[in-house]
Amino acid sequence: MKSRTRVTSSLRQATAALTRAAGKPPAPVCHNAATSIPPATGMRLLTSGRQQPRRSLHDQSPRRSGAPSNPAMTFPCVDALESRSATLRQQAAAAAAAASASSSTTPRSRSSESGPEPSYTVGATQIFHSTSPLLLDHGGQLVEFNIAYETWGELNADRSNVILLHTGLSASSHAHSTPANPQPGWWEKFIGPGLALDTSKYFVICTNVIGGCYGSTGPSSIDPSDGKRYATRFPLLTITDMVRAQFRLLDHLGVEKLHASVGSSMGGMQSLSAAVTFPERVGRIVSISACARSHPYSIAMRYVQRKAILNDPNWNRGYYYGNIPPHVGMKLAREIATITYRSGPEWEQRFGRRRADRDKPPALCPDFLVETYLDHAGEKFCLTYDPNSLIYVSKAMDLFDLGRENQVAIAAKRAEREARLREGGGGQGGEGYHQDACSLTLPDEPYEEQPGQHQGHHDEGSSSSYSGPGQKPPADLVAGLSVLWDHPVLVMGVASDILFPAWQQREIAEALKMAGNRNVAHYELSEEQSLFGHDTFLLDVKNVGGMVRNFLG
């Protein structure tokens, strides 16, 4: 201790001497529990004990005035975003003025405070309106809700030929063209007579999920309780919540049992969830490029997408309706997503290292062909999908877990809330809901890797251990899928998929087999068969479409 005191005293004396020599008053000394050291003084202590000046990167004074060495760069990509913000600001102001003028002559609607209806729809749909409350897994409820849906084919007499087609994260119910909306749908080449979903045999239904923005109730919808948009007052969703809403539609249509539940990506999650939640009401199951529980890589990518939106100043904690939407964050989120949807091998073939214009000098705005492709993908999407919907629906994907432990925990919470509702307490906006949903606090200490958080060890509060490539599915997941022991299941994966790697589909198939299911068909497309990555399910009519058609019979 005496030695440390002498060293500290010497350092103080040296600092005082140096500052006096420089004509400056002594700087205050910062104290530390372990030792006392001087604050930053533009000096550094060498091992020899001598201090020498330390140059800072940004503290040099200009040597002379005059013209700069190089002209300033231009950023047309940034200019375009700023121009769009200005245009959107003018449109919002004009809409607000029009609403104000109309309110002077007509009674003001309860929703006028939230601005005009956002133009996120993609054409005519059918609407099912439920007036029965929908209790959600993680608290809260929708006192009433809409489901937008479209259908193809003919419903047979006993209503036994129904296929429920589930969508991916950002898709609408418009999977195929209809007389009311002749625009091609997102699965146009897979639906029709003789195709994967054969409309000469089956009656196909596709819905926009709750939480979405293409006609189904979501954050941009009006809360019937107060006439204002939900925004971020909308409760958290799960994939199973989406499925329960869809089965309300089936009840309305008088469909007791599905011939098949079919989906890809998030739709593949819904397809499995539908069968696990309503096993007696689902015949066959098709899950393509999906998983039985979300894994860290996909969670991380969706988190960064949400972060891009939340950090856009125009997001305004979700209350941007009637104002400028967070289009910059939304564009970036879509560009990040697009990177995960396609594959490296495909991009090598399509783009390579080619630049958009070799005759022009390199630029910091989109310059390489792959950059212009990502920019275009973000441009198409940033004003056609509600950012809040992306936040809520992607979070539902993160929460997806068909393991037994998660199912039991959710069921227990639902039972508790249902009992509370029967007793007249809780519900949307109720005290219990807010306690459950709004109590998250950030940790005091930064994250540090903890012992036991590696392969083969359990996370705290979970019995699901890691089962990556070459590993067996955990017993918890096998137990969670055991209810499907006698369902015919088609599971498909793609080797070039980086968002839902092929081992995750192998995990589904293996878990089902370990649960006793002997009717599991598992196919994996090699990179030679498909270079399209995760988007293969949208593009590969021959392989994906052919296998689905053969499986459905």
Side-chain angles (χ1 to χ4, degrees), residues 362-381:
L364 296 180
C365 282
D367 180 26
F368 285 92
L369 283 182
V370 68
E371 294 175 325
T372 63
Y373 169 73
L374 292 174
D375 185 74
H376 178 65
E379 280 292 317
K380 288 195 305 180
F381 188 73

Side-chain angles (χ1 to χ4, degrees), residues 176-488:
H176 189 273
S177 54
T178 64
N181 185 359
Q183 293 297 318
W186 56 267
W187 237 30
E188 186 76 16
K189 296 181 180 180
F190 292 77
I191 302 173
L195 300 181
L197 304 187
D198 190 342
T199 52
S200 64
K201 297 180 180 180
Y202 303 115
F203 182 65
V204 181
I205 304 172
C206 184
T207 83
N208 180 220
V209 298
I210 58 168
C213 54
Y214 293 127
S216 295
T217 296
S220 62
S221 303
I222 301 297
D223 181 350
S225 299
D226 64 1
K228 297 180 181 180
R229 300 202 190 281
Y230 283 105
T232 47
R233 295 179 300 139
F234 199 79
L236 283 178
L237 293 168
T238 66
I239 297 296
T240 305
D241 289 330
M242 300 173 184
V243 166
R244 289 193 186 94
Q246 291 170 332
F247 274 72
R248 292 279 188 91
L249 168 63
L250 296 181
D251 293 340
H252 169 72
L253 297 175
V255 177
E256 295 184 3
K257 185 173 182 178
L258 295 171
H259 175 75
S261 175
V262 177
S264 306
S265 189
M266 188 184 82
M269 295 169 151
Q270 295 174 70
S271 186
L272 289 169
S273 180
V276 169
T277 309
F278 302 100
E280 72 287 351
R281 299 188 64 178
V282 176
R284 293 172 174 262
I285 305 163
V286 176
S287 181
I288 306 168
S289 296
C291 62
R293 54 194 180 120
S294 285
H295 293 272
Y297 174 79
S298 59
I299 293 173
M301 297 306 296
R302 288 188 290 266
Y303 162 76
V304 175
Q305 293 170 51
R306 291 194 297 271
K307 194 83 169 182
I309 298 171
L310 270 60
N311 285 350
D312 187 321
N314 290 320
W315 181 63
N316 193 33
R317 296 180 181 266
Y319 294 90
Y320 51 79
Y321 301 110
N323 295 301
I324 304 174
H327 63 94
V328 176
M330 193 66 170
K331 179 177 178 179
L332 178 57
R334 187 61 171 190
E335 291 175 356
I336 296 170
T338 303
I339 294 172
T340 70
Y341 293 156
R342 307 305 278 260
S343 75
E346 180 208 2
W347 287 9
E348 285 291 341
Q349 291 189 6
R350 289 180 64 184
F351 308 117
R353 287 186 44 79
R354 295 189 299 278
R355 294 176 55 224
D357 190 340
R358 294 181 180 179
D359 295 331
K360 292 183 178 179
L364 296 180
C365 282
D367 180 26
F368 285 92
L369 283 182
V370 68
E371 294 175 325
T372 63
Y373 169 73
L374 292 174
D375 185 74
H376 178 65
E379 280 292 317
K380 288 195 305 180
F381 188 73
C382 68
L383 291 179
T384 60
Y385 194 80
D386 182 23
N388 281 338
S389 284
L390 179 61
I391 291 169
Y392 276 87
V393 177
S394 70
K395 185 64 179 183
M397 295 178 70
D398 292 353
L399 295 170
F400 184 63
D401 180 2
L402 290 180
R404 172 65 60 82
E405 183 175 320
N406 183 63
Q407 292 187 49
V408 170
I410 293 294
K413 291 179 181 178
R414 288 183 61 85
E416 179 183 347
R417 294 190 187 99
E418 288 170 350
R420 199 159 58 214
L421 284 173
R422 287 193 297 269
E423 295 169 0
Q428 175 78 3
E431 180 181 353
Y433 168 68
H434 280 291
Q435 289 176 348
D436 290 343
C438 306
S439 60
L440 177 65
T441 57
L442 295 177
D444 294 330
E445 299 295 331
Y447 171 78
E448 291 183 4
E449 194 77 24
Q450 300 296 318
Q453 291 185 350
H454 300 285
Q455 180 172 336
H457 294 276
H458 301 291
D459 290 333
E460 184 178 353
S462 173
S463 62
S464 299
S465 60
Y466 172 78
S467 63
Q471 302 290 319
K472 287 186 177 181
D476 177 65
L477 186 61
V478 174
L481 295 178
S482 61
V483 69
L484 306 180
W485 67 273
D486 63 345
H487 285 68

Side-chain angles (χ1 to χ4, degrees), residues 484-528:
L484 306 180
W485 67 273
D486 63 345
H487 285 68
V489 183
L490 170 63
V491 182
M492 291 188 65
V494 181
S496 58
D497 189 344
I498 62 173
L499 183 59
F500 289 83
W503 69 262
Q504 295 183 13
Q505 292 84 58
R506 290 197 295 270
E507 180 180 69
I508 298 172
E510 189 64 24
L512 288 167
K513 292 175 182 178
M514 291 175 65
N517 192 324
R518 298 183 178 181
N519 202 357
V520 179
H522 173 230
Y523 297 96
E524 181 177 316
L525 300 182
S526 66
E527 288 191 1
E528 289 73 21

